[in-house]
Amino acid sequence: MIDSLQAVEAFAALGQEHRLRIVRALVTAGPDGLAAGALAGEVGVSGTNLSFHAKELSHAGLIQSRREGRSVIYTAAYPALSNLIEFLMRDCCQGRPEVCAPAVAALALCCSPPGDTDHV
C-alpha cells in the first residue's frame, strides 16, 4: 500500500506526456517489456531522452529495467501501478458500489484473457 507522498511522486512522474506514453507502452507490452530502442521508437523520443524520462519513472517506482546482453529492457512495475490505482479507489463509493462499477468493469475487461466473455 502506498501513502500520499508516494502517490504524489508517482503522479508527478506521470504528469509529463512522454513519461505517460512510456508507462502506457510498457503496460501494453506486458511483463516481457520492451528494449530501450523499441520503446524510444514507439514513444517517439531519442534514446537519450528516453533514458532521462525512464530515470524519473524508475525513481517513482513505476517502471523497472534489466540488462539482457547489451540491451536494456524496460518493464512496467505492475505492483506499483496497482497500488496507485488502489490508492485512488480505496475509499470509493461511500457505500454505493455502482459509483465504482465502471472502473472495476474496465479493469476486469482489460485483464481478461482474449476470447473470455465472462467479464463483459
Side-chain angles (χ1 to χ4, degrees), residues 55-108:
K55 182 180 127 202
E56 295 296 316
L57 291 166
S58 181
H59 179 73
L62 299 174
I63 68 170
Q64 302 164 334
S65 65
R66 69 181 186 279
R67 283 219 168 262
E68 283 187 6
R70 294 177 22 189
S71 296
V72 175
I73 308 296
Y74 290 101
T75 57
Y78 291 100
L81 294 168
S82 295
N83 287 338
L84 191 56
I85 293 167
E86 180 188 353
F87 175 83
L88 285 175
M89 303 299 289
R90 184 177 307 142
D91 301 316
C92 179
C93 306
Q94 297 290 320
R96 297 177 46 211
E98 71 277 5
V99 173
C100 296
V104 172
L107 286 172

